[in-house]
Amino acid sequence: MKYQKILITGGAGFVGANLAIDFKKKYPQLTVIALDNLKRRGAELNINRLKEKGVEFVHGDVRCPEDLSGLDLGKNFLMIECSAEPSVLAGVNSSPEYLLNTNLMGAINCFEMARKSRADVIFLSTSRVYPIEPLTKLKYKETPTRYALDEKQPLVGVSEKGISEKFSLEGARSLYGATKLCSELIFQEYQAAYGLRGVINRCGVITGPWQMGKVDQGVVVLWMARHFFGGNLSYIGYGGKGKQVRDFIHVKDLFDLLDQQVGRIDKYDGQVFNVGGGVENSFSLLELTRLCRQVTDKKIKLGAVKETRPNDIRIYLTDSEKVKEATGWKPKIGLEKTLEDIHRWLIDNRDLLAPILS
Ligand SMILES: NC(=O)c1ccc[n+]([C@@H]2O[C@H](COP(=O)([O-])OP(=O)(O)OC[C@H]3O[C@@H](n4cnc5c(N)ncnc54)[C@H](O)[C@@H]3O)[C@@H](O)[C@H]2O)c1
């Protein structure tokens, strides 16, 4: 590890805290600092967990440049930008102010800090940068349990394997996706103008223990938690059949990728990668329900809402060939093992998690 210090913004969140702990575990000499404003419900549960594992927690807000410049990190550290309002429904029936100020202005504050300190940056972006309208044009077939992409597709950058980095960026994509794409553009300008080094990872669904799943974000944990604690769920949209499809990666697989990227930032500098589980690591809601029942040994009521919500997508699969070829990385943890990990975490932390997830 060439860095002595890593700053993880959004470091008490699901992805940030898991990465912080895994980096500290693998590189005990490393100083790992997790900065978070604790906006996300449940992030507060990570403070003790971080401290116990030797990660420094700083209460701070990426919307305040002073909170970043006040950190005494010296030069040449690594920043992993994980802070966000990560819901695709943010701003839909509410003000977009928080979303814009955190995801866009906050990200710019982070890049600015990195510019001044000559820090390298890994930026966690999202598959939601791809616009919705072209995604609704994908050719698909319907199997008994899910939708699947056709071999032949009418658009560039999509195949039966999923969406590659060549897919169109023309059109509306949700305010969340737009804040992330704008941040990517600013990041690339900082790279061109100031020589800022770093990598952009456009991630599909990431999941695993310590994700505070809720209706608008974190579907896998939401599904598991409802089965575990009891409650209702609904298949929303596309006729209410539950056949919509997502791919996913376990947060441990994301760590493996970032560990590689961090080790060779000179090699991956300037790259934009789609990062996801692809066809092998994908599920429909119907299939997810089946596996949740199997893992928890519990059955809950599943409702159906036929109407599709704004910004929803029938099928999203990531074509991660580029990152796989560049790094040799591929996700190793499948859905059943991921659900078992989540189940174990729910059992071990039932009382702590019940107020948030039940
Ligand atoms: N989880 C996924 O499926 C997924 C998929 C693609 C991309 N991402 C990206 O990964 C990153 C991490 O997402 P996550 O799933 O861990 O979400 P999360 O909500 O669990 O974590 C985000 C953290 O940022 C913090 N935060 C919010 N506003 C802040 C602010 N103004 N200042 C400082 N901290 C602030 C929150 O308190 C939270 O702890 C985000 O950038 C997200 O867009 C996540």
Side-chain angles (χ1 to χ4, degrees):
M1 166 65 66
K2 82 187 249 306
Y3 304 100
Q4 285 172 348
K5 292 181 182 172
I6 297 191
L7 169 64
I8 303 187
T9 53
F14 160 57
V15 172
N18 278 300
L19 291 178
I21 288 167
D22 283 352
F23 271 111
K24 184 67 188 172
K25 192 172 168 196
K26 182 154 181 193
Y27 304 102
Q29 305 308 324
L30 194 66
T31 301
V32 183
I33 297 155
L35 177 138
D36 203 293
N37 73 348
L38 305 180
K39 175 75 162 47
R40 177 74 178 254
R41 178 96 206 279
E44 68 280 3
L45 301 184
N46 277 316
I47 298 176
N48 280 341
R49 188 174 156 238
L50 289 166
K51 282 185 184 158
E52 276 165 18
K53 309 280 180 186
V55 175
E56 288 174 33
F57 172 73
V58 175
H59 188 243
D61 197 308
V62 295
R63 293 171 298 169
C64 301
E66 302 83 6
D67 284 4
L68 296 164
S69 59
L71 298 170
D72 184 18
L73 289 169
K75 300 272 176 204
N76 302 320
F77 60 90
L78 175 81
M79 175 190 287
I80 305 181
E81 216 296 73
C82 291
S83 68
E85 164 48 72
S87 168
V88 76
L89 293 179
V92 170
N93 289 316
S94 56
S95 162
E97 264 177 324
Y98 188 82
L99 175 80
L100 297 171
N101 288 333
T102 291
N103 292 17
L104 179 54
M105 295 315 298
I108 294 173
N109 290 335
C110 292
F111 305 152
E112 187 50 18
M113 178 204 199
R115 180 187 72 80
K116 286 185 187 144
S117 345
R118 302 217 60 75
D120 296 334
V121 180
I122 305 271
F123 180 57
L124 278 218
S125 187
T126 168
S127 56
R128 287 290 186 166
V129 299
Y130 296 112
I132 289 172
E133 205 252 348
L135 287 172
T136 64
K137 300 235 166 78
L138 302 188
K139 299 270 179 240
Y140 65 90
K141 44 186 172 274
E142 193 171 338
T143 77
T145 62
R146 61 157 69 193
Y147 299 116
L149 289 174
D150 271 354
E151 234 168 89
K152 289 221 167 83
Q153 291 292 338
L155 301 172
V156 173
V158 55
S159 68
E160 71 208 303
K161 285 188 199 156
I163 305 295
S164 82
E165 296 80 357
K166 296 195 176 80
F167 197 73
S168 166
L169 287 171
E170 285 294 316
R173 57 192 39 78
S174 77
L175 279 160
Y176 166 62
T179 55
K180 287 291 188 174
L181 183 60
C182 292
S183 302
E184 285 189 12
L185 294 177
I186 299 287
F187 184 61
Q188 288 172 328
E189 291 303 324
Y190 266 57
Q191 297 201 290
Y194 309 120
L196 192 72
R197 296 196 311 171
V199 179
I200 295 170
N201 291 310
R202 290 179 178 160
C203 301
V205 170
I206 309 164
T207 193
W210 297 99
Q211 184 171 40
M212 302 300 159
K214 52 192 179 104
V215 173
D216 57 339
Q217 207 262 342
V219 63
V220 178
V221 167
L222 172 77
W223 234 250
M224 273 300 287
R226 287 288 156 83
H227 279 82
F228 182 76
F229 287 112
N232 295 331
L233 285 170
S234 295
Y235 299 129
I236 302 175
Y238 309 104
K241 295 186 279 187
K243 291 190 179 184
Q244 55 266 59
V245 168
R246 294 289 181 274
D247 64 351
F248 76 95
I249 55 171
H250 192 296
V251 69
K252 293 260 176 231
D253 276 324
L254 181 68
F255 169 73
D256 285 347
L257 174 65
L258 263 58
D259 188 26
Q260 276 209 47
Q261 293 177 340
V262 165
R264 288 299 312 274
I265 210 91
D266 51 330
K267 181 172 170 197
Y268 304 120
D269 179 31
Q271 300 279 359
V272 179
F273 293 123
N274 280 2
V275 175
V279 183
E280 304 83 49
N281 260 11
S282 67
F283 59 86
S284 71
L285 290 179
L286 209 56
E287 294 163 355
L288 183 62
T289 302
R290 195 175 290 168
L291 263 179
C292 286
R293 283 179 183 165
Q294 185 188 305
V295 171
T296 60
D297 204 17
K298 287 181 181 164
K299 210 169 174 175
I300 59 163
K301 214 172 133 211
L302 261 297
V305 178
K306 288 188 175 165
E307 295 74 37
T308 305
R309 289 178 300 189
N311 298 341
D312 223 343
I313 295 168
R314 185 186 298 272
I315 174 163
Y316 190 91
L317 294 171
T318 312
D319 180 344
S320 303
E321 280 311 303
K322 184 180 170 191
V323 75
K324 285 179 180 165
E325 234 169 73
T327 63
W329 169 88
K330 65 173 186 182
K332 297 192 199 91
I333 308 174
L335 187 58
E336 202 168 329
K337 167 81 172 83
T338 303
L339 297 184
E340 282 164 4
D341 279 3
I342 294 168
H343 191 221
R344 170 57 37 213
W345 164 67
L346 292 169
I347 293 170
D348 291 348
N349 300 278
R350 176 188 265 276
D351 293 346
L352 196 66
L353 296 172
I356 296 165
L357 294 177
S358 71

